[in-house]
Amino acid sequence: TPGGKEVWTTPGWVVYPELTMTSVDVSNPGYGLYTNFTLTMQTITAVPEMGSIRIVAPDDYYFGPVIETDRNRYDPLVSEPGPQGAGEERPSPDKVVTCHILRPENWACAFEFEPCKIMDELEELIGIGVVLSAEQEETRASNKKTCLDMRSKCEPGGRLSDLVQCESQASTLVLNLARQVTLPSRRILRFLIQGYNARKTPPSEEANMWRFMTRNS
């Protein structure tokens, strides 16, 4: 145009799916009862270190330890415990509850660790006959120690909470990856979390939907 080059833009965005093959299995499906949730998902894009996975359950679900009340608190002097689910409550919607992810049967560690990548790269050089410098050898040794420690934490018997921290608020569950921990693309993650089912039937099919999403650090 006489005034120069014109560029037209319109608001828009591209949505890239981050997760697929999501599922939720419940071991104790009764309304309001404490249960084991087995959650499964497959990443499409990687979740970086310090990133997170956010899972929003339908209203009134709860993830965390057993909620004790006067009606369900264990008393060794009482011959019959209170019925499961009797009088359970829910924390304030603003309260953040610390939870722990557990390993289901046939657990496979889905995470990768940055020290292991560095160790593997340097050991590949050794494998093709490259002589490492003193600095490279020191780097390899230190990362190997850290790598083996992180892998042992991911395996059964290890302290998994050092790699993935879990917290919930209302019916939202968040898994936060630690530093140097990533969840690669196309990787299937299956884990178990404990909590309470909703106490009432959802009012609609839409209200009974679970939503999975990933977030960067």
Side-chain angles (χ1 to χ4, degrees):
T1 66
K5 181 179 179 180
E6 293 186 357
V7 178
W8 292 83
T9 62
T10 58
W13 57 88
V14 178
V15 177
Y16 294 100
E18 303 288 342
L19 295 168
T20 186
M21 293 178 59
T22 57
S23 68
V24 180
D25 294 313
V26 182
S27 65
N28 192 4
Y31 291 119
L33 300 186
Y34 199 68
T35 187
N36 293 330
F37 300 95
T38 301
L39 293 93
T40 304
M41 65 200 74
Q42 182 180 31
T43 55
I44 293 177
T45 55
V47 182
E49 65 173 342
M50 306 297 289
S52 62
I53 298 171
R54 185 169 181 258
I55 302 169
V56 182
D59 288 344
D60 202 43
Y61 278 80
Y62 161 84
F63 305 103
V66 172
I67 300 173
E68 287 193 344
T69 66
D70 291 338
R71 293 188 62 191
N72 67 5
R73 184 174 292 109
Y74 173 70
D75 185 348
L77 301 180
V78 176
S79 59
E80 295 185 3
Q84 185 180 10
E88 88 284 353
E89 300 176 359
R90 295 290 184 269
S92 164
D94 299 326
K95 182 178 181 180
V96 177
V97 178
T98 299
C99 49
H100 299 280
I101 69 170
L102 305 174
R103 301 173 183 86
E105 292 184 7
N106 302 318
W107 161 264
C109 184
F111 304 106
E112 286 189 356
F113 312 112
E114 187 62 28
C116 298
K117 295 181 182 179
I118 297 173
M119 178 194 72
D120 290 340
E121 290 173 357
L122 293 174
E123 291 189 346
E124 285 177 5
L125 294 178
I126 295 175
I128 61 175
V130 176
V131 178
L132 301 183
S133 66
E135 182 179 355
Q136 287 176 315
E137 180 58 35
E138 182 179 354
T139 300
R140 185 193 69 83
S142 63
N143 279 279
K144 181 176 182 178
K145 180 180 179 181
T146 304
C147 169
L148 296 179
D149 179 59
M150 296 180 82
R151 283 178 175 173
S152 68
K153 288 179 178 179
C154 201
E155 295 303 318
R159 190 179 174 88
L160 191 58
S161 58
D162 285 351
L163 307 177
V164 186
Q165 295 182 345
C166 171
E167 62 184 28
S168 69
Q169 184 176 0
S171 60
T172 298
L173 175 69
V174 178
L175 306 182
N176 296 305
L177 303 189
R179 291 189 182 277
Q180 301 184 313
V181 179
T182 61
L183 183 59
S185 61
R186 313 305 299 178
R187 193 66 61 88
I188 294 176
L189 173 64
R190 180 178 291 108
F191 65 93
L192 187 149
I193 188 80
Q194 295 179 313
Y196 285 100
N197 293 317
R199 290 167 288 186
K200 296 180 180 179
T201 305
S204 65
E205 184 176 347
E206 176 66 21
N208 197 35
M209 296 290 290
W210 292 64
R211 294 171 173 82
F212 295 70
M213 60 204 78
T214 60
R215 300 184 296 183
N216 291 336
S217 56

